[in-house]
Each structure stands twice: as C-alpha cells, then as structure tokens.
Amino acid sequence: MANVLKKDNSAANMKTVFIPRKNKNDTERYVAVNGDNMLIQTGISVKVPEKFAQVIENSQKQDAAAQTFIEMFANG
C-alpha cells in the first residue's frame, strides 16, 4: 500500500493584514469566527488564516463607512 502524503496548505490559506493601533496600549485585537478565535497583534503586518482576514477587512470597511457617515452629518 502506498503512503499518501498530505500537502500542507496552511501557508496557502494565510493572508497578511494590518490592524492600526487606536492608542499606545492597544497591542492586540480579539477576533472570533464560527467558534474559532485568536488574538492578533496590532500596529504591524501579520499573517492570519483567510477567514480571520476577511473579518478584519469587513470591520475596517465598516469603520470607514461609519466615519464617512459621521463626517457627512457633522459638516451639515
């Protein structure tokens, strides 16, 4: 019987993300996806699994949209 080698696809499913710090004490961010969770370091680019990267990117898009909405009504 032949031995079957499994490919390590973990590197293929990784994505680089950057989470900016909100203040000097903001060193890591808790991210959870479908019961899986991890702490992601802020202020530097880090590689994370793709599902966590998607959540971070969606969060950053929503933060930008909220900021635009606030500025639109604050300026009259």
Side-chain angles (χ1 to χ4, degrees):
M1 187 177 265
N3 289 336
V4 178
L5 297 176
K6 293 183 180 179
K7 290 185 180 180
D8 184 14
N9 290 331
S10 61
N13 294 332
M14 301 294 273
K15 211 168 175 187
T16 303
V17 296
F18 178 81
I19 303 174
R21 288 185 177 182
K22 293 184 178 179
N23 59 48
K24 70 177 186 169
N25 295 324
D26 182 22
T27 59
E28 55 193 18
R29 199 70 45 88
Y30 176 81
V31 180
V33 178
N34 294 332
D36 294 332
N37 54 53
M38 66 185 315
L39 287 172
I40 301 173
Q41 193 170 1
T42 59
I44 63 170
S45 294
V46 293
K47 287 191 176 196
V48 296
E50 190 173 347
K51 64 183 177 182
F52 291 101
Q54 241 180 353
V55 169
I56 293 165
E57 290 169 1
N58 290 342
S59 175
Q60 290 173 341
K61 286 178 186 176
Q62 287 300 316
D63 285 346
Q67 187 62 34
T68 302
F69 183 81
I70 291 168
E71 290 173 359
M72 191 169 66
F73 286 99
N75 295 332

